[in-house]
Amino acid sequence: MSFSEVLHGGQAAAEQQQRSPVLMMALLVAVSYLFYRLTVPPSSLKTPKTSQIVASPSTFPFYGLGSTQFYSDRWGFLRRWQGDAHKDDPLLEKRAVRCNCSNKVLITSHGADAAETFFHDRNLSFSKGYSVMFAGIPQLPAWLHRRSETEVHLQDDEQRHFFQTQLKLATNSQRLDQLLPQMFEDSFARFAKLPKEGGLMDMHKVIYPLIFQISVRNLALAEDARDEKRCHLIEKHFWAFQDYSGFFQTHFPLLPLPGTIKRWYGIIRLTMLLKEGIESRRREGRREDDHIQTMIDAGHDTQRMINFIIGGLFAAIINTTGMLAWTLVLIAADPPILARVREELDDFLRKEAEARGDEFDELSVEEQLSRVPIESWESNLPYFDACLKETMRYLNISVLFRAYDPKKKGSAPTVYGGEQLREGEYVSFWLAGTHLNPDIYPNPLTYDPDRYFVRKEGSGPNEFLGWGAGLHPCTGMRFAKLEIKTCASCFLRTFPDYKPVDLDGNPYNRDNVPLPDLDSEHRRFPDKPLALAYTRRFSPR
């Protein structure tokens, strides 16, 4: 080694020694912050009034993590702290519970007063509530991205307005009228892949992909809906992001845990697939008859279209898939209900054919369905509407999120669960407190469409919340209802004798039919083995 090498080596060592205290200090700060996050709950967890229940923190010494059970066993957490919504439980009188979710205070409440505030108060932010407490998207403070709070609010409002505007355009009457024949074609094509006789159907492998395909056809790229392999790949990555959504994935989204890595890999791959499809269409100068083409023609940038597609798919799929699948299960578990649904559908289709001057008995099944206009599908199946509404009441019993984010200084303070909210706190509304409330719905654990069809239960303000309420009704409700009705009609005409069974073929009835696992909010997997059995499959033509 030369003298020069020794000299330069010595200089490098000296520089390393000078940097070491800085690195050690940075490491110490990082470790101290992590220790603080793990062990110290937020000071605002308990309020001066203490009129709310304060949920126990996580296991000692990790009090800073807070109520991890809210994500790992949400139904158990809610029953423990808020009581059994379907009966006279003393805990229900305590209207709200405060808990810590990784240094974020969350207040969960239920009841008429809480519903009025939750769905109508303009200081409660829908987008921020879901991005932080549900999606786990890291929130940067305004000073870090050099935007004032006013600019942050304006951008959030603009993005929400853009999404809602595009969703309305994608689901307007003209677009749905064009889509309707394809919805029937997609449905019958999906069912045609099943055995003609003696089949056992897994609804998560048949109904869920069908709704996904139709939603892609309307809200994303038409060519992806036609390409079965590509559509399956998009669906796979979409569900990967939804499936890995536990406590650490939500509140420590940058911590490289296995579930977190799978989650972000899913959304990255989904984004890449959508970007590839949009840019391929632009590059080739190819045109399709879908809403994305109208966005391309309007000059919207690729990332904005991707954001719309992902948001639109989430809005169209998460609830629609479960509601269709479980409506088919629950009506079949009670043969008199299923018989009334079939009778209503048969009478409806026959009357529609006669009104058009068609000979009903000479039409194929596909013609009987596809010639019915949208307006008739929307308004002339009242008993099926009641069945769908009862499924939504029965299954929508988890929580919805908002963030307390006042947009105007000096605006009236918001009271939720008996106490005034503080800026930066989050709130959730427990739907079971309404949908399983025996004062609103007698015998709430019984599946009974006549609640609405005959007795008009749940018709008061904020008594049925399946399609949202107040400031945030479901923008895609019309499309979702049309998807459910058309796909259910195709199913009922294709399988004339289906029934829910266990994997050994033993039939279920209304008293023992499986229900969705309460910890499977998105997929709604059954809490015990379930299949839909049929003797024969009819052809649509």
Side-chain angles (χ1 to χ4, degrees):
M1 180 181 293
S2 68
F3 176 77
S4 176
E5 290 173 329
V6 172
L7 177 61
H8 288 130
Q11 290 174 340
E15 291 174 359
Q16 180 65 36
Q17 289 178 348
Q18 291 176 352
R19 288 197 299 267
S20 293
V22 177
L23 293 174
M24 288 299 295
M25 182 61 70
L27 181 61
L28 180 62
V29 169
V31 171
S32 299
Y33 175 73
L34 180 61
F35 179 80
Y36 170 79
R37 286 287 304 272
L38 293 176
T39 59
V40 181
S43 59
S44 60
L45 185 59
K46 293 187 178 181
T47 65
K49 291 176 64 176
T50 62
S51 64
Q52 301 171 350
I53 303 171
V54 178
S56 300
S58 194
T59 306
F60 176 84
F62 301 114
Y63 289 160
L65 287 179
S67 302
T68 58
Q69 186 191 14
F70 185 81
Y71 287 84
S72 62
D73 179 18
R74 184 165 294 167
W75 186 249
F77 176 89
L78 293 168
R79 291 186 67 189
R80 176 185 177 188
W81 294 106
Q82 299 238 269
D84 283 304
H86 62 281
K87 58 186 180 182
D88 185 17
D89 191 321
L91 278 177
L92 294 173
E93 298 302 318
K94 203 73 173 179
R95 289 293 186 183
V97 56
R98 297 174 70 85
C99 70
N100 169 34
C101 292
S102 183
N103 276 254
K104 301 176 186 68
V105 174
L106 175 69
I107 301 98
T108 302
S109 191
H110 63 280
D113 291 342
E116 183 64 25
T117 301
F118 186 88
F119 291 102
H120 297 271
D121 194 296
R122 294 187 179 277
N123 288 330
L124 298 182
S125 169
F126 176 94
S127 55
K128 185 175 180 181
Y130 273 91
S131 64
V132 174
M133 302 303 294
F134 178 81
I137 298 174
Q139 298 292 300
L140 296 176
W143 62 266
L144 191 58
H145 44 60
R146 301 182 183 279
R147 289 187 295 157
S148 67
E149 289 294 336
T150 300
E151 290 173 323
V152 171
H153 287 311
L154 287 174
Q155 184 174 30
D156 289 345
D157 289 343
E158 192 276 333
Q159 289 175 347
R160 184 168 59 252
H161 176 72
F162 176 82
F163 174 77
Q164 291 175 342
T165 299
Q166 295 302 319
L167 187 58
K168 288 178 181 178
L169 290 173
T171 57
N172 63 25
S173 295
Q174 181 180 2
R175 177 63 62 185
L176 293 182
D177 190 56
Q178 293 174 343
L179 181 67
L180 190 62
Q182 193 63 58
M183 293 169 70
F184 291 115
E185 186 175 330
D186 288 342
S187 299
F188 285 125
R190 180 76 53 174
F191 301 149
K193 297 176 182 178
L194 298 171
K196 286 188 175 182
E197 297 181 351
L200 278 180
M201 182 193 311
D202 182 341
M203 61 187 184
H204 282 82
K205 294 180 179 179
V206 178
I207 302 299
Y208 276 55
L210 171 59
I211 292 295
F212 196 92
Q213 180 187 17
I214 293 174
S215 300
V216 167
R217 189 179 295 282
N218 190 40
L219 301 171
L221 298 159
E223 57 266 45
D224 287 344
R226 293 194 299 268
D227 187 330
E228 185 175 343
K229 291 184 178 179
R230 188 171 173 86
C231 191
H232 174 72
L233 194 59
I234 292 172
E235 182 185 12
K236 173 185 173 182
H237 293 309
F238 172 86
W239 282 114
F241 184 74
Q242 307 304 329
D243 288 343
Y244 296 100
S245 56
F247 177 85
F248 286 97
Q249 284 73 36
T250 303
H251 294 289
F252 293 87
L254 302 181
L255 192 64
L257 298 172
T260 307
I261 293 172
K262 291 177 181 178
R263 189 176 200 222
W264 287 112
Y265 176 77
I267 196 65
I268 290 170
R269 287 291 297 130
L270 175 59
T271 300
M272 291 173 63
L273 283 168
L274 296 175
K275 181 179 180 180
E276 174 187 291
I278 294 170
E279 293 187 347
S280 173
R281 189 190 292 186
R282 277 178 162 159
R283 185 173 56 254
E284 296 170 7
R286 180 169 39 82
R287 300 184 61 81
E288 294 278 353
D289 185 16
D290 56 24
H291 180 66
I292 294 301
Q293 187 64 55
T294 66
M295 295 184 75
I296 292 174
D297 294 343
H300 295 300
D301 64 77
T302 299
Q303 188 57 52
R304 205 161 210 203
M305 285 187 278
I306 292 171
N307 292 342
F308 167 75
I309 292 173
I310 293 175
L313 290 178
F314 177 84
I317 289 165
I318 292 296
N319 277 322
T320 307
T321 49
M323 295 311 150
L324 169 59
W326 284 99
T327 296
L328 294 173
V329 170
L330 293 168
I331 63 176
D334 194 326
I337 292 178
L338 179 58
R340 288 178 68 181
V341 170
R342 289 192 183 281
E343 182 181 4
E344 180 184 64
L345 178 62
D346 291 344
D347 290 344
F348 164 71
L349 294 175
R350 187 172 292 276
K351 288 177 181 177
E352 287 292 324
E354 292 173 353
R356 295 190 308 269
D358 290 339
E359 289 292 336
F360 179 77
D361 294 326
E362 295 180 3
L363 299 175
S364 68
V365 171
E366 188 169 4
E367 288 172 334
Q368 292 171 5
L369 296 170
S370 62
R371 293 186 182 185
V372 177
I374 289 177
E375 294 76 14
S376 295
W377 284 111
E378 292 178 326
S379 58
N380 293 333
L381 289 170
Y383 188 69
F384 184 84
D385 284 334
C387 292
L388 173 58
K389 192 172 183 178
E390 181 69 340
T391 302
M392 298 186 76
R393 180 196 69 83
Y394 217 54
L395 270 60
N396 280 348
I397 54 176
S398 189
V399 297
L400 306 174
F401 293 105
R402 301 286 189 270
Y404 183 53
D405 195 19
K407 294 178 173 57
K408 293 182 180 180
K409 291 185 178 181
S411 59
T414 298
V415 175
Y416 189 72
E419 291 195 8
Q420 183 175 318
L421 295 176
R422 304 177 185 184
E423 191 167 351
E425 291 184 335
Y426 296 82
V427 299
S428 65
F429 183 81
W430 188 30
L431 287 168
T434 298
H435 286 170
L436 297 184
N437 186 339
D439 293 332
I440 302 173
Y441 301 101
N443 301 314
L445 299 186
T446 300
Y447 185 82
D448 182 9
D450 277 340
R451 296 181 189 280
Y452 319 99
F453 196 67
V454 176
R455 300 189 299 276
K456 309 303 180 183
E457 295 172 13
S459 57
N462 298 321
E463 289 186 347
F464 179 78
L465 301 166
W467 297 108
L471 299 175
H472 299 287
C474 178
T475 308
M477 175 175 62
R478 190 183 185 198
F479 176 48
K481 284 184 176 181
L482 188 63
E483 277 187 299
I484 291 170
K485 287 184 180 181
T486 53
C487 293
S489 298
C490 290
F491 185 94
L492 292 168
R493 302 297 276 184
T494 303
F495 304 102
D497 61 351
Y498 84 99
K499 56 187 175 182
V501 299
D502 64 21
L503 299 188
D504 293 323
N506 300 309
Y508 289 114
N509 57 48
R510 62 180 296 172
D511 296 321
N512 64 3
V513 65
L515 294 175
D517 184 342
L518 293 169
D519 291 324
S520 176
E521 292 184 29
H522 303 158
R523 298 275 200 160
R524 292 187 169 95
F525 289 116
D527 57 11
K528 53 186 176 182
L530 171 67
L532 298 179
Y534 60 92
T535 303
R536 51 183 175 163
R537 170 176 62 79
F538 279 5
S539 170
R541 297 179 177 85

